[in-house]
Amino acid sequence: MKNQEPPLDIKEAFHKFSQGGVQMSNDQLLGFILEHQGDKNCTLMDLEVLLLQIAGNSNTATREQGLSQMYFINFLLLDDFNGPLKNEVHHDMSAPLSHYFMYTGHNSYLTGNQLTSDCSDEPIIEALQQGVRVIELDLWPSTNEDGIKVVHGRTLTTPVLLTKCLESIKKYAFVKSDFPVILTLEDHLTPKLQAKFSEKATQIFGDMLYYPQTDYLTEFPSPESLKNLVVISTKPPKEYAHSDSVMDKGSNNNHVLNGSEPLSGEEEEEELWNEGLADSMAKLTTEENNGSDEDINICDLKPNQQNAPEYKHLIAIHGGKSKGSVKDRLKADSEVVKRLSLSEKKLKSASETHGRDIIRFTQRNILRVYPKGERIKSTNFRPHLGWMYGAQMVAFNMQGHGKSLWLMQGMFRANGGCGYVKKPEFLIQTNSNEDEFDPRRILQVKRTLRVKVYLGVGWRSDFGPTHFDRFSPPDFYTKVCIVGVPADCVKKRTRVIKDNWLPVWDEEFEFPLTVPDLALLRIEVKDWDQGKDDFAGQTCLPVSELRLGFRSVALHDRKGKKFKSVKLLMRFQLETFD
């Protein structure tokens, strides 16, 4: 910033708090932080540490005399201290699990597409390191030493050992967050193998494994009470005759692929095979013509004998039935709580006629929403489709990088990045029909968010000199968007700053918000070109969590990894209406 003229707002703030001087003393800087930034917990001792970062250990003059205007801007760009979000958990974590959005993965073991990619524990490790709290495993019989493999059934994906997945989950479950990891199991196992899973899970997880005190919960436990525990969620097995035969009399050849055992299906109903997969794959099975995985349950074929009790007693969050109409499935049981899974397509359809039923269901129960079957390339849908109706587990392909995943990553930057975000009260409280929340209804504006984009730095450090243009510096502009309920969604952008690695835009945008609690601020920088504009960084921030004042906003790459140096200096202001 040495050769750039600082934005007027920055100069005025410096002039005000330095009382017209050319240096801002530590006391004056503390006054700026407390009064202008609203950071009430900062102390002079904190500032000593920060000034070391700005000036370096050898520059005692800066620490003793204070900050010049240039160093003041460098101070504002310290994103670790002056970032847009709080770094610590600050939501009430003592409510039932149904009161929280949860960072949720779909087919967590897949490295790529849904049909031919490898299965591995590596995507699971990466997800846990990013703070994902809900991991999905598909369990199938195998001839390997485990007897159980994790694989996307009836596809050409290559399996991974169950033991390897469980050991990696144990190792990485709580490196990012100490709040519970939930394993959603799509179970295609015989009773003997279910018992083997129980044995392996208890052996590997030990004291980390949560055992519910009763067979059926009347209310879910809280994230706080489940800290550092692994929780199992699947459909409870029914009582049926024990058989390890792949082809018993009552079984159906159409439910077997390449010699694998019949489905016992968790609850996935994942219309994966009747929702647009390639014809070549559809020929491998006629399962889609006979219902969902959950409907074709080996447990239904041979009743009257007790299943392995160990497996049943591991299940804390019970998957609900898949049969019947969506409206019937959404009827909340007053006695027990459960989890229900719907595809994005079914949820979209149901929300048009049963939106209030969905919200009522999610007040006590858990709803999981997963990608439709057409998403062969592991793409994702807009997560607000589920969040608007209180769905706690919006399950995403974490390898499906793009704008939808950026929104998911943005939501779970909230609450210190712990993987659990308290739902807004209007999605939790039971109200009369007239007062019930309806995301399709246009409400009065509750808050106005003002976003000012001052300048950007760091591209010269993080990108090669010819990355954007071969013969000239880049031409940057910034897109600023609100994503939330339909009435709040809007896109805006700055002007293009030509031929400059250190762009100064100094432009402000105003966003009236009817449901600010569900609004995300999406920010993306691009390099303007005659053809397709080049990507230069992005981030997504929950509006309800924004720290006001001047903030350093670090940008991320397409996969969501934070750049080392690229960041924007921005200002956030919120006006609230009664």
Side-chain angles (χ1 to χ4, degrees), residues 457-475:
V457 298
W459 287 282
R460 195 190 293 271
S461 300
D462 290 352
F463 292 84
T466 60
H467 178 88
F468 296 107
D469 294 295
R470 286 188 65 186
F471 304 110
S472 65
D475 308 316

Side-chain angles (χ1 to χ4, degrees), residues 153-422:
R154 303 177 302 282
T155 69
L156 301 178
T157 56
T158 56
V160 60
L161 291 176
L162 170 67
T163 299
K164 191 173 185 181
C165 293
L166 297 184
E167 287 175 345
S168 293
I169 291 168
K170 178 183 180 180
K171 183 176 180 180
Y172 293 94
F174 305 110
V175 295
K176 173 71 174 177
S177 167
D178 56 4
F179 288 100
V181 166
I182 300 173
L183 300 187
T184 57
L185 306 179
E186 186 178 331
D187 164 19
H188 303 268
L189 305 177
T190 61
K192 184 176 180 180
L193 291 176
Q194 288 174 342
K196 191 163 189 177
F197 171 85
S198 301
E199 181 185 341
K200 286 190 174 296
T202 52
Q203 179 184 19
I204 291 171
F205 292 129
D207 293 340
M208 290 170 57
L209 192 59
Y210 173 72
Y211 293 88
Q213 299 302 306
T214 59
D215 286 343
Y216 290 92
L217 297 173
T218 56
E219 182 179 74
F220 289 118
S222 69
E224 183 67 34
S225 69
L226 296 171
K227 270 187 171 180
N228 296 301
L229 292 176
V230 175
V231 179
I232 302 295
S233 177
T234 188
K235 183 181 177 183
K238 295 181 180 179
E239 315 293 334
Y240 62 99
H242 180 87
S243 173
D244 295 318
S245 170
V246 174
M247 295 300 298
D248 282 339
K249 279 185 181 180
S251 66
N252 187 329
N253 291 349
N254 290 337
H255 304 157
V256 182
L257 174 65
N258 294 338
S260 64
E261 299 205 18
L263 309 181
S264 88
E266 180 250 348
E267 43 77 57
E268 266 319 297
E269 80 156 9
E270 297 229 359
E271 306 125 3
L272 208 54
W273 306 106
N274 59 355
E275 285 197 68
L277 289 185
D279 289 342
S280 58
M281 291 305 301
K283 290 176 183 177
L284 293 176
T285 178
T286 58
E287 182 264 333
E288 71 271 23
N289 296 321
N290 295 284
S292 69
D293 288 357
E294 187 179 60
D295 295 339
I296 309 166
N297 192 325
I298 189 174
C299 305
D300 296 336
L301 302 178
K302 288 176 165 277
N304 301 325
Q305 186 169 332
Q306 185 170 347
N307 183 44
E310 295 86 357
Y311 184 76
K312 183 172 75 172
H313 294 318
L314 289 184
I315 303 169
I317 302 175
H318 289 202
K321 64 178 183 178
S322 68
K323 295 178 181 178
S325 67
V326 171
K327 185 173 177 62
D328 289 339
R329 293 160 66 190
L330 288 169
K331 287 180 180 176
D333 191 319
S334 59
E335 299 297 325
V336 300
V337 289
K338 63 182 179 181
R339 172 175 66 83
L340 179 66
S341 283
L342 294 176
S343 70
E344 59 171 291
K345 185 178 285 187
K346 280 206 170 179
L347 177 66
K348 189 172 187 298
S349 174
S351 67
E352 294 170 359
T353 51
H354 304 302
R356 287 179 174 175
D357 294 324
I358 299 171
I359 292 175
R360 288 191 201 108
F361 179 84
T362 59
Q363 287 168 350
R364 291 186 64 242
N365 299 278
I366 291 174
L367 178 61
R368 177 176 175 272
V369 185
Y370 58 87
K372 61 186 178 181
E374 287 94 335
R375 298 189 182 278
I376 301 170
K377 295 182 179 180
S378 297
T379 58
N380 292 299
F381 54 97
R382 291 294 187 261
H384 280 85
L385 174 67
W387 292 334
M388 290 189 302
Y389 291 95
Q392 297 89 343
M393 295 181 178
V394 178
F396 261 34
N397 297 307
M398 295 300 164
Q399 74 277 34
H401 308 296
K403 291 178 183 177
S404 292
L405 187 57
W406 298 350
L407 298 176
M408 176 68 68
Q409 292 166 341
M411 170 64 89
F412 290 100
R413 290 190 178 107
N415 199 24
C418 74
Y420 287 84
V421 174
K422 190 87 182 306

Side-chain angles (χ1 to χ4, degrees), residues 439-468:
R440 297 177 301 172
R441 188 171 68 227
I442 298 179
L443 305 171
Q444 289 184 331
V445 172
K446 291 184 175 61
R447 285 186 169 187
T448 294
L449 172 67
R450 292 184 181 87
V451 177
K452 196 157 191 178
V453 185
Y454 290 114
L455 55 89
V457 298
W459 287 282
R460 195 190 293 271
S461 300
D462 290 352
F463 292 84
T466 60
H467 178 88
F468 296 107

Side-chain angles (χ1 to χ4, degrees), residues 98-101 362-363 390-392 421-425 427-428:
S98 55
H99 289 199
Y100 299 85
F101 296 128
T362 59
Q363 287 168 350
Q392 297 89 343
V421 174
K422 190 87 182 306
K423 296 199 295 185
E425 284 300 312
L427 289 174
I428 296 172

Side-chain angles (χ1 to χ4, degrees), residues 83-132:
L85 303 174
K86 294 180 181 179
N87 293 323
E88 67 276 357
V89 174
H90 55 277
H91 293 185
D92 173 17
M93 303 302 287
S94 62
L97 284 171
S98 55
H99 289 199
Y100 299 85
F101 296 128
M102 309 174 198
Y103 203 173
T104 303
H106 172 255
N107 290 348
S108 304
Y109 48 85
L110 283 180
T111 58
N113 69 62
Q114 300 289 307
L115 294 181
T116 60
S117 66
D118 292 335
C119 301
S120 170
D121 64 329
E122 287 299 322
I124 297 171
I125 294 170
E126 187 175 343
L128 291 170
Q129 289 174 327
Q130 292 171 357
V132 173

Side-chain angles (χ1 to χ4, degrees), residues 500-572:
N500 202 323
W501 285 99
L502 295 169
V504 177
W505 295 283
D506 202 9
E507 292 186 50
E508 187 169 39
F509 305 99
E510 190 171 288
F511 301 99
L513 302 172
T514 62
V515 188
D517 290 332
L518 291 177
L520 295 174
L521 177 67
R522 194 176 76 78
I523 301 161
E524 184 177 4
V525 177
K526 289 195 168 185
D527 168 51
W528 180 86
D529 276 321
Q530 292 287 352
K532 185 179 180 181
D533 296 346
D534 295 322
F535 173 83
Q538 61 82 24
T539 194
C540 193
L541 306 169
V543 169
S544 62
E545 300 263 317
L546 287 174
R547 299 167 72 197
L548 305 183
F550 301 132
R551 297 296 168 186
S552 175
V553 179
L555 298 187
H556 303 73
D557 64 16
R558 292 183 185 275
K559 294 183 178 182
K561 183 179 179 181
K562 192 170 90 168
F563 287 122
K564 183 178 179 180
S565 307
V566 177
K567 59 191 78 172
L568 302 177
L569 183 58
M570 305 179 70
R571 185 182 69 192
F572 304 113

